[in-house]
Structures are given as structure tokens and as C-alpha cells.
Amino acid sequence: MKITDAKVFVGGPGKNYVTLKIQTDQGVYGLGDATLNNRETLPAAYLNDYLIPNLIGLDPRNSEDIWQFFYRGAYFRKGPIAMAAFGAIDMALWDIKAKLASMPLYQMFGGKSREGALLYAHATGADLEALMDSISHYVEQGYKAVRVQCGVPGMPTESYGVSHAADNNKHYITDFSGIRPKVEIWDTDRYMRYMPDALMAIRERFGEQLKILHDVHHRLLPREAAEFAKTLEPVGLFWLEDPTPAEDQDALRLLRQHSTVPVAIGEVFNSIWECNKLIEHELIDFIRVAVTYAGGITHVKRIVDLAGLHHIRTGFHGAPSHSPLCMAAQAHLNAWAPNFGIQEYLVLDTPECDALFPSTHRVESGMMYVSDEPGLGVDFDENEAKKYSFKPGSHPVVRLEDGTLWNY
Ligand code: GCO
Ligand code: MG
């Protein structure tokens, strides 16, 4: 069996999804996602210029050897661009493998460990009252877990995860007005003074059953993060996400010494080498890698198994940064993983997105039910894809009030 062709498509409704389609000489094809938010043309170029020319003619069933060939075969390894590009190939090869076996992908890992996977939604508000409304909106839809972000009084601009718009998903849409990012101003003191009481008010309003998550988006220094986590203890958070910048694997030691608040980290990691110490030293409770830019199913499954040895559960990244293909790969891992925790869910499943990626996965009352179709359970409509092309866009950048550049 041989790979005969592979094509990359860039574009989508309100997003630049990077989609890979691999064809074989037996008519079976596989799909993969290489979307790297706001850097989408780069994994596409890596695929077109380096990986696809080496892929043609290989046996698609040898997904492990193909992964090793692209990883070890590149002297300068890792990084989100390369790992997103292999990630897409790997996803597509697992899609092919499962289709050849006429099985849903989760069967290739060991079958189902659960019927539905717990999801969390994103609630957001310009102020606490607007956030409360947004939380109610998701609770009414049956969500048992909600991530909460709200504006902080006196903060000079909007900041991460906060929408001033009526649309709850608005904070996520890339700014397509151009390649130059808009600037947000951040003030750690205001944030640290305001958020603990705000989170406590949410707990009081919604009761003890709601699983409350909060994302700091890498903004605090290790000592600040330790103080913040300690102050949040009475809230009973499900998790505190990315309290410190992710590069420093030791930064969480101080937080661990001062608090038992569950910590989730990893959405920016693209290899096991960025989280092995965090996992082995049990400095986190949830690992947040995404199948797309952490090197595909082959590599993420290794991270999940390592995490399982250390009582760490999964909480895969599920921002609309990824396409429904990544969400599908994660749905299959979530169905299988003995150490599954929760899944972030914010795919903008508009009619346009559903038309581009017809899917047989189901979301109901805050749970995701994996597809039983052979393969990933998501298709890609090439005719629909003709409607879209790449649009330059950007994330904001963050500065302190004196102009110092900070972490987005
Ligand atoms: C999350 C993430 C996202 C990232 C986004 C960047 O928890 O979902 O923090 O909001 O900011 O994926 O492209
Ligand atoms: Mg996050």
C-alpha cells in the first residue's frame, strides 16, 4: 500500500484552518489538522516544501516509522511549526489505519473507557454581572464545567478571555484587520486584588456542584502565582490554568508548596520534552497539550501515558485555534484514556464550519459523544473549501502600563 498524493488547504469560516488530505493507492484517504493559530501559513509551507515530497510512495500503515523519520530525520527538531506539520500527517495516517480496519479510531487505542467526555465551555463578561449571565447561559444548556473570565475594574484595556460583546465566543475570533497586533495593557496588582472575590461570588451564586475553571494565561510570576493560588483555595476551583509562563518547568514548585489548587498547563507545549519534568515531579494535575501541535496522536498518546503514571489527567486544548479534525482526534483519545479529565470545547460549530467539516461526533448537555464511524469521524468538503482562502490576522500583544512587553 502506498501514499499517492497529499494536499494542504488553508482557510475556513472565520479561521485559517490548515487541513491535510492524504490519498492512497487503495482509495482510502486520511485527514489531519495543522492549524497553528495566527501562524497558519508556516506549517502549510513545512508540509508542502519538506514533508509531502518525502511522504509520497511510503506505506501509510507505518505511522510510527513515518513519525520517527520526520522527527529524528530533521536535525533541528521540535517547535510548534514542525510538530503541527507532523501532527497533521500523523492524524491522517491514524485516520487511514482505522478506516482500513473499519473501526472508529478509539478502537485502535483499546476501546472506550467511558460513554461521554465531560466538556467545559467558556463564559466571559466585560464585568462580573455579564460573566454571571454568560455562566447561566451554559449552565442552562447542561454544562457542568465552565471556564470563567471577566473584566477587572480599572484595567486600562480589555484583556485575555474577556468579551465586551454580546456574543460569548467573540473573545476568540482572530483580529483579521491585519498582521499588526493590537495592544492590551495588563496590571497584575489589579487582577490579583479583584479576581479572588469575583471567583468566590461565582461559587456562591452557582453552588458547590459547578466545576469552575480559570485561565491566567501565563501572566503571573512564580511568587505571585503561589500567592494567588493560596488565596483561591476557598473557591474550590476545578483548575487554575497557566498561572506562570510555560517555559519554566520549575516555576510551579513554589505554587505547589503553598497551595493544593489543581493546576492545568500545556496548551503551548509541542513535545514531551517540555512537560516531562512537570509530569514526573507531579507539579501539575492536568496536561493540556493539543493533538495538532504536539506532534499528532502518536506523540500525544505517549504524553498521556506518562501523565497517567503520575496521577495527571488530560484536559486537552480545545480552542477554535484547532479545526474539528483535531477535536475529533481528541474525542477518540478522550473516549479511551484511562486518565481522562475534561475537554475544552469552543469549536465555532457554525453551519459554515459543519458544511466544511461534516462530522458524526455529538455534543449534548455539556458532554461529547465520540463517533462510531470508521476513522476520525470527520470529513472535509473540498468544494466548500473553495469558498475560503488565507486571511492575515493576529493575537493581541500585552504591555504593562509603562510599556514593558508582557506575556499574551
Ligand atoms: C485556552 C487558550 C486559548 C489561547 C489560544 C491562542 O485556554 O483556550 O488559552 O485561549 O489563547 O489558543 O491561540
Ligand atoms: Mg488557556
Side-chain angles (χ1 to χ4, degrees):
M1 185 175 186
K2 281 189 171 40
I3 295 172
T4 50
D5 191 24
K7 276 202 175 59
V8 182
F9 303 81
V10 183
K15 293 292 307 173
N16 291 309
Y17 293 125
V18 183
T19 307
L20 174 71
K21 183 166 184 175
I22 296 182
Q23 297 281 2
T24 67
D25 59 358
Q26 297 194 9
V28 180
Y29 61 87
L31 297 166
D33 176 33
T35 309
L36 182 62
N37 219 15
N38 300 323
R39 295 289 183 273
E40 297 89 351
T41 51
L42 303 178
Y46 200 89
L47 279 160
N48 282 324
D49 297 347
Y50 299 98
L51 303 183
I52 291 175
N54 279 295
L55 197 60
I56 308 299
L58 299 183
D59 184 333
R61 293 168 298 185
N62 295 333
S63 49
E64 181 68 54
D65 186 63
I66 292 174
W67 196 94
Q68 299 293 338
F69 178 80
F70 288 135
Y71 182 83
R72 291 176 194 266
Y75 185 64
F76 300 104
R77 295 173 187 175
K78 302 188 291 183
I81 297 163
M83 297 300 264
F86 310 157
I89 291 177
D90 189 72
M91 225 181 274
L93 297 183
W94 280 94
D95 190 23
I96 291 171
K97 201 186 296 291
K99 283 174 178 164
L100 288 172
S102 303
M103 286 180 182
L105 186 58
Y106 64 80
Q107 291 293 4
M108 319 298 296
F109 309 146
K112 267 189 200 174
S113 304
R114 60 195 55 76
E115 281 311 311
L118 178 70
L119 300 175
Y120 73 88
H122 281 207
T124 172
D127 58 28
L128 186 55
E129 268 319 300
L131 173 59
M132 296 280 193
D133 291 347
S134 175
I135 299 170
S136 300
H137 163 82
Y138 289 111
V139 168
E140 280 155 22
Q141 286 181 34
Y143 279 89
K144 293 167 193 68
V146 182
R147 189 191 88 158
V148 302
Q149 311 290 137
C150 70
V152 171
M155 195 69 90
T157 62
E158 275 187 24
S159 45
Y160 170 75
V162 176
S163 169
H164 287 227
D167 178 351
N168 287 327
N169 285 331
K170 194 76 171 71
H171 70 285
Y172 252 109
I173 314 280
T174 297
D175 176 3
F176 285 118
S177 59
I179 210 77
R180 281 182 193 266
K182 76 173 199 250
V183 179
E184 289 180 352
I185 307 293
W186 172 254
D187 179 343
T188 296
D189 289 343
R190 280 199 178 94
Y191 171 80
M192 283 186 51
R193 267 197 306 272
Y194 183 72
M195 272 330 282
D197 288 347
L199 291 168
M200 201 59 204
I202 293 167
R203 169 61 71 216
E204 280 160 10
R205 175 87 65 99
F206 289 92
E208 59 187 23
Q209 284 305 311
L210 184 68
K211 296 181 192 340
I212 302 174
L213 298 79
H214 179 67
D215 190 349
V216 184
H217 225 250
H218 323 274
R219 302 277 164 97
L220 301 180
L221 300 174
R223 193 214 60 77
E224 293 163 346
E227 182 190 323
F228 191 59
K230 194 158 93 175
T231 323
L232 295 182
E233 298 246 320
V235 178
L237 284 184
F238 182 84
W239 84 28
L240 182 67
E241 180 176 334
D242 288 330
T244 54
E247 293 93 333
D248 181 0
Q249 292 201 50
D250 286 321
L252 293 170
R253 285 185 192 281
L254 196 63
L255 187 153
R256 280 302 216 209
Q257 284 160 17
H258 292 275
S259 164
T260 55
V261 165
V263 175
I265 204 161
E267 64 184 40
V268 297
F269 295 161
N270 50 73
S271 86
I272 202 164
W273 305 110
E274 285 167 301
C275 50
N276 60 337
K277 282 209 279 171
L278 281 172
I279 293 174
E280 284 161 12
H281 299 155
E282 300 176 8
L283 297 176
I284 56 173
D285 300 278
F286 294 90
I287 181 73
R288 279 200 29 81
V289 286
V291 168
T292 298
Y293 33 72
I297 292 163
T298 299
H299 197 62
V300 166
K301 200 166 167 303
R302 268 185 195 123
I303 296 176
V304 172
D305 280 330
L306 178 66
L309 296 178
H310 294 277
H311 326 286
I312 294 163
R313 291 184 286 158
T314 61
F316 295 137
H317 195 201
S321 325
H322 323 290
S323 87
L325 288 163
C326 172
M327 281 301 289
Q330 295 181 174
H332 287 279
L333 286 168
N334 290 339
W336 152 78
N339 51 330
F340 167 75
I342 197 165
Q343 171 65 58
E344 180 178 25
Y345 183 72
L346 210 110
V347 169
L348 301 176
D349 46 1
T350 55
E352 292 80 13
C353 192
D354 292 345
L356 184 59
F357 295 102
S359 164
T360 43
H361 297 270
R362 202 161 49 84
V363 171
E364 210 179 286
S365 295
M367 302 288 284
M368 185 156 188
Y369 298 92
V370 69
S371 164
D372 279 319
E373 294 288 314
L376 282 169
V378 175
D379 211 344
F380 178 67
D381 187 325
E382 288 184 48
N383 273 327
E384 277 291 312
K386 288 183 188 138
K387 294 183 184 164
Y388 307 106
S389 57
F390 173 73
K391 290 181 285 314
S394 61
H395 284 126
V397 294
V398 176
R399 291 188 183 276
L400 305 182
E401 278 174 291
D402 71 356
T404 307
L405 203 83
W406 207 243
N407 306 303
Y408 170 58

PDB file of all heavy atoms in Angstrom, residues 324 328 354 357-362 368 371 376-379:
ATOM      1  N   PRO A 324     -12.099  21.072  13.550  1.00  0.00           N
ATOM      2  CA  PRO A 324     -12.859  19.921  14.057  1.00  0.00           C
ATOM      3  C   PRO A 324     -12.099  18.596  13.893  1.00  0.00           C
ATOM      4  O   PRO A 324     -12.407  17.622  14.578  1.00  0.00           O
ATOM      5  CB  PRO A 324     -14.124  19.932  13.203  1.00  0.00           C
ATOM      6  CG  PRO A 324     -14.301  21.387  12.840  1.00  0.00           C
ATOM      7  CD  PRO A 324     -12.907  21.907  12.624  1.00  0.00           C
ATOM      8  N   ALA A 328     -11.750  15.946  16.808  1.00  0.00           N
ATOM      9  CA  ALA A 328     -12.152  14.548  16.608  1.00  0.00           C
ATOM     10  C   ALA A 328     -11.061  13.608  17.127  1.00  0.00           C
ATOM     11  O   ALA A 328     -11.350  12.644  17.840  1.00  0.00           O
ATOM     12  CB  ALA A 328     -12.413  14.295  15.132  1.00  0.00           C
ATOM     13  N   ASP A 354     -19.692  23.352   9.918  1.00  0.00           N
ATOM     14  CA  ASP A 354     -20.220  21.991   9.768  1.00  0.00           C
ATOM     15  C   ASP A 354     -20.233  21.566   8.297  1.00  0.00           C
ATOM     16  O   ASP A 354     -20.048  20.390   7.993  1.00  0.00           O
ATOM     17  CB  ASP A 354     -21.656  21.900  10.330  1.00  0.00           C
ATOM     18  CG  ASP A 354     -21.675  22.065  11.839  1.00  0.00           C
ATOM     19  OD1 ASP A 354     -20.604  21.963  12.468  1.00  0.00           O
ATOM     20  OD2 ASP A 354     -22.771  22.299  12.398  1.00  0.00           O
ATOM     21  N   PHE A 357     -16.571  20.735   7.437  1.00  0.00           N
ATOM     22  CA  PHE A 357     -16.100  19.527   8.141  1.00  0.00           C
ATOM     23  C   PHE A 357     -17.308  18.714   8.629  1.00  0.00           C
ATOM     24  O   PHE A 357     -17.626  18.745   9.827  1.00  0.00           O
ATOM     25  CB  PHE A 357     -15.263  19.915   9.369  1.00  0.00           C
ATOM     26  CG  PHE A 357     -13.980  20.630   9.072  1.00  0.00           C
ATOM     27  CD1 PHE A 357     -13.878  22.004   9.226  1.00  0.00           C
ATOM     28  CD2 PHE A 357     -12.855  19.929   8.661  1.00  0.00           C
ATOM     29  CE1 PHE A 357     -12.682  22.669   8.970  1.00  0.00           C
ATOM     30  CE2 PHE A 357     -11.649  20.581   8.404  1.00  0.00           C
ATOM     31  CZ  PHE A 357     -11.565  21.949   8.553  1.00  0.00           C
ATOM     32  N   PRO A 358     -18.011  18.010   7.739  1.00  0.00           N
ATOM     33  CA  PRO A 358     -19.157  17.218   8.207  1.00  0.00           C
ATOM     34  C   PRO A 358     -18.667  16.188   9.243  1.00  0.00           C
ATOM     35  O   PRO A 358     -17.661  15.515   9.030  1.00  0.00           O
ATOM     36  CB  PRO A 358     -19.657  16.518   6.932  1.00  0.00           C
ATOM     37  CG  PRO A 358     -19.035  17.254   5.797  1.00  0.00           C
ATOM     38  CD  PRO A 358     -17.760  17.846   6.302  1.00  0.00           C
ATOM     39  N   SER A 359     -19.388  16.127  10.367  1.00  0.00           N
ATOM     40  CA  SER A 359     -18.881  15.328  11.485  1.00  0.00           C
ATOM     41  C   SER A 359     -19.979  14.460  12.055  1.00  0.00           C
ATOM     42  O   SER A 359     -21.153  14.845  12.050  1.00  0.00           O
ATOM     43  CB  SER A 359     -18.378  16.301  12.568  1.00  0.00           C
ATOM     44  OG  SER A 359     -18.209  15.639  13.790  1.00  0.00           O
ATOM     45  N   THR A 360     -19.605  13.303  12.575  1.00  0.00           N
ATOM     46  CA  THR A 360     -20.598  12.437  13.215  1.00  0.00           C
ATOM     47  C   THR A 360     -20.375  12.373  14.732  1.00  0.00           C
ATOM     48  O   THR A 360     -20.903  11.504  15.403  1.00  0.00           O
ATOM     49  CB  THR A 360     -20.577  11.028  12.586  1.00  0.00           C
ATOM     50  OG1 THR A 360     -19.217  10.622  12.410  1.00  0.00           O
ATOM     51  CG2 THR A 360     -21.268  11.025  11.240  1.00  0.00           C
ATOM     52  N   HIS A 361     -19.555  13.294  15.264  1.00  0.00           N
ATOM     53  CA  HIS A 361     -19.433  13.410  16.726  1.00  0.00           C
ATOM     54  C   HIS A 361     -20.625  14.224  17.227  1.00  0.00           C
ATOM     55  O   HIS A 361     -21.172  15.038  16.494  1.00  0.00           O
ATOM     56  CB  HIS A 361     -18.122  14.109  17.109  1.00  0.00           C
ATOM     57  CG  HIS A 361     -16.925  13.331  16.684  1.00  0.00           C
ATOM     58  ND1 HIS A 361     -16.333  12.389  17.477  1.00  0.00           N
ATOM     59  CD2 HIS A 361     -16.224  13.338  15.524  1.00  0.00           C
ATOM     60  CE1 HIS A 361     -15.313  11.850  16.831  1.00  0.00           C
ATOM     61  NE2 HIS A 361     -15.219  12.403  15.640  1.00  0.00           N
ATOM     62  N   ARG A 362     -20.984  14.015  18.494  1.00  0.00           N
ATOM     63  CA  ARG A 362     -22.193  14.654  19.011  1.00  0.00           C
ATOM     64  C   ARG A 362     -21.889  15.351  20.329  1.00  0.00           C
ATOM     65  O   ARG A 362     -21.219  14.774  21.198  1.00  0.00           O
ATOM     66  CB  ARG A 362     -23.223  13.555  19.231  1.00  0.00           C
ATOM     67  CG  ARG A 362     -24.655  13.968  19.260  1.00  0.00           C
ATOM     68  CD  ARG A 362     -25.550  12.745  19.015  1.00  0.00           C
ATOM     69  NE  ARG A 362     -25.187  11.609  19.852  1.00  0.00           N
ATOM     70  CZ  ARG A 362     -25.590  11.419  21.106  1.00  0.00           C
ATOM     71  NH1 ARG A 362     -26.376  12.295  21.690  1.00  0.00           N
ATOM     72  NH2 ARG A 362     -25.219  10.344  21.785  1.00  0.00           N
ATOM     73  N   MET A 368     -19.427  15.238  25.266  1.00  0.00           N
ATOM     74  CA  MET A 368     -19.139  14.923  23.867  1.00  0.00           C
ATOM     75  C   MET A 368     -19.197  13.404  23.690  1.00  0.00           C
ATOM     76  O   MET A 368     -18.576  12.661  24.453  1.00  0.00           O
ATOM     77  CB  MET A 368     -17.764  15.449  23.472  1.00  0.00           C
ATOM     78  CG  MET A 368     -17.474  15.266  22.002  1.00  0.00           C
ATOM     79  SD  MET A 368     -16.229  16.469  21.490  1.00  0.00           S
ATOM     80  CE  MET A 368     -16.242  16.222  19.742  1.00  0.00           C
ATOM     81  N   SER A 371     -17.778   9.606  17.750  1.00  0.00           N
ATOM     82  CA  SER A 371     -18.375   8.975  16.574  1.00  0.00           C
ATOM     83  C   SER A 371     -18.004   7.484  16.491  1.00  0.00           C
ATOM     84  O   SER A 371     -16.906   7.102  16.878  1.00  0.00           O
ATOM     85  CB  SER A 371     -17.843   9.696  15.334  1.00  0.00           C
ATOM     86  OG  SER A 371     -18.091   8.933  14.187  1.00  0.00           O
ATOM     87  N   LEU A 376     -11.554   8.901  11.882  1.00  0.00           N
ATOM     88  CA  LEU A 376     -11.729  10.040  12.791  1.00  0.00           C
ATOM     89  C   LEU A 376     -13.199  10.437  12.990  1.00  0.00           C
ATOM     90  O   LEU A 376     -13.544  11.085  13.963  1.00  0.00           O
ATOM     91  CB  LEU A 376     -10.992  11.268  12.246  1.00  0.00           C
ATOM     92  CG  LEU A 376      -9.478  11.354  12.428  1.00  0.00           C
ATOM     93  CD1 LEU A 376      -8.910  12.492  11.582  1.00  0.00           C
ATOM     94  CD2 LEU A 376      -9.110  11.573  13.890  1.00  0.00           C
ATOM     95  N   GLY A 377     -14.032  10.131  11.989  1.00  0.00           N
ATOM     96  CA  GLY A 377     -15.448  10.508  12.097  1.00  0.00           C
ATOM     97  C   GLY A 377     -15.718  11.939  11.656  1.00  0.00           C
ATOM     98  O   GLY A 377     -16.761  12.498  11.985  1.00  0.00           O
ATOM     99  N   VAL A 378     -14.771  12.530  10.918  1.00  0.00           N
ATOM    100  CA  VAL A 378     -14.973  13.872  10.355  1.00  0.00           C
ATOM    101  C   VAL A 378     -14.501  13.836   8.912  1.00  0.00           C
ATOM    102  O   VAL A 378     -13.470  13.239   8.603  1.00  0.00           O
ATOM    103  CB  VAL A 378     -14.179  14.948  11.127  1.00  0.00           C
ATOM    104  CG1 VAL A 378     -14.299  16.309  10.453  1.00  0.00           C
ATOM    105  CG2 VAL A 378     -14.669  15.062  12.565  1.00  0.00           C
ATOM    106  N   ASP A 379     -15.255  14.469   8.034  1.00  0.00           N
ATOM    107  CA  ASP A 379     -14.855  14.538   6.626  1.00  0.00           C
ATOM    108  C   ASP A 379     -14.496  15.989   6.279  1.00  0.00           C
ATOM    109  O   ASP A 379     -14.626  16.888   7.120  1.00  0.00           O
ATOM    110  CB  ASP A 379     -15.994  14.015   5.739  1.00  0.00           C
ATOM    111  CG  ASP A 379     -15.457  13.372   4.474  1.00  0.00           C
ATOM    112  OD1 ASP A 379     -14.278  13.591   4.128  1.00  0.00           O
ATOM    113  OD2 ASP A 379     -16.235  12.654   3.819  1.00  0.00           O
TER     114      ASP A 379
END
